[in-house]
Amino acid sequence: LHGVGLSLGSVAPLDREHLRRVKRAVERFEPLLVSEHACWGRHPQGHFNDLLPLPQTEEAARHLATRVREVQDVLGRQILVENLSAYFAYRESRLTEWEFLGAVVELSGCGLLLDVNNAYVNSVNLGLDAGAFLAGLPRAAVQEIHLAGHTRRRIGERDLLIDDHGSTVCDEVWQLYARAIERFGPVPTLIEWDTDVPALD
């Protein structure tokens, strides 16, 4: 069961009605894994329909971990937190992405959902080392993997990869996935494709 609406990193209070609905879905379907994103999207004035990144700081990691613990307490089970695709980096960030996620795992007891496409997108967009990201994640925490397609777009003076779940998984992401399986073992893997879905045949 994979969520996009809890806005775990927001400073606005958790949406209790939404969380109750998630809890009902968990109780009804009894999924093997429950996951959400390491992001924010909710603000006192409204809800952005997007998965917005957090600054990678110790303060933000503690805040996110507190919210994750709160959700886990309500659900009565561990959740997984997914790494995001990013199109910019905060000047305030002091931690690497793997240090940030590792701190959230340590402080909350959550697991990780590793999105390999997001790691690749970030390596291209932000000039990061996707292999170092995989190597830095806490090995036992990764319990699920996502793969997806992306689109290259020219925005201003930059070419950006946009995680759009609208095409086949590229060769570079498959190669990174092979490295992930070597490190984390044969964890459940899902290919996300939810825009421009081709004909069944």
Side-chain angles (χ1 to χ4, degrees):
L1 186 69
H2 187 50
V4 296
L6 278 174
S7 190
L8 293 173
S10 291
V11 294
L14 282 169
D15 182 338
R16 291 291 169 179
E17 178 55 31
H18 182 73
L19 184 52
R20 278 193 291 274
R21 290 176 179 175
V22 171
K23 182 175 175 64
R24 283 200 300 270
V26 168
E27 290 171 345
R28 178 177 180 186
F29 297 108
E30 299 179 358
L32 177 65
L33 301 167
V34 177
S35 55
E36 251 292 353
H37 297 79
C39 74
W40 70 281
R42 208 159 167 271
H43 188 271
Q45 278 72 46
H47 187 93
F48 300 100
N49 190 27
D50 208 342
L51 306 173
L52 302 171
L54 294 159
Q56 291 162 5
T57 65
E58 292 178 355
E59 179 184 12
R62 288 193 299 270
H63 173 70
L64 181 57
T66 298
R67 300 278 290 236
V68 168
R69 283 198 310 269
E70 195 174 346
V71 168
Q72 291 180 146
D73 287 346
V74 170
L75 298 182
R77 63 179 294 161
Q78 183 190 56
I79 66 169
L80 311 183
V81 174
E82 179 182 345
N83 59 301
L84 294 184
S85 54
Y87 310 104
F88 66 90
Y90 289 97
R91 285 190 298 269
E92 295 81 5
S93 292
R94 297 293 177 263
L95 304 173
T96 63
E97 187 178 14
W98 64 84
E99 289 170 336
F100 178 78
L101 293 171
V104 173
V105 167
E106 184 176 345
L107 293 168
S108 71
C110 73
L112 292 176
L113 191 170
L114 167 61
D115 191 310
V116 174
N117 183 64
N118 289 353
Y120 177 73
V121 164
N122 294 353
S123 74
V124 173
N125 288 346
L126 304 178
L128 303 175
D129 184 337
F133 172 70
L134 295 183
L137 291 174
R139 187 174 181 183
V142 175
Q143 299 178 38
E144 183 178 356
I145 293 176
H146 280 181
L147 303 170
H150 55 260
T151 301
R152 184 177 297 271
R153 287 200 194 140
R154 186 76 176 174
I155 300 177
E157 299 299 313
R158 298 177 60 200
D159 281 337
L160 285 178
L161 299 186
I162 308 296
D163 174 44
D164 64 357
H165 302 177
S167 58
T168 57
V169 178
C170 73
D171 290 343
E172 293 84 357
V173 171
W174 280 120
Q175 291 163 14
L176 196 59
Y177 174 63
R179 293 173 68 178
I181 292 300
E182 281 181 18
R183 173 155 171 75
F184 304 112
V187 298
T189 300
L190 171 73
I191 296 177
E192 300 178 291
W193 194 327
D194 45 52
T195 62
D196 298 324
V197 179
L200 186 58
D201 59 355

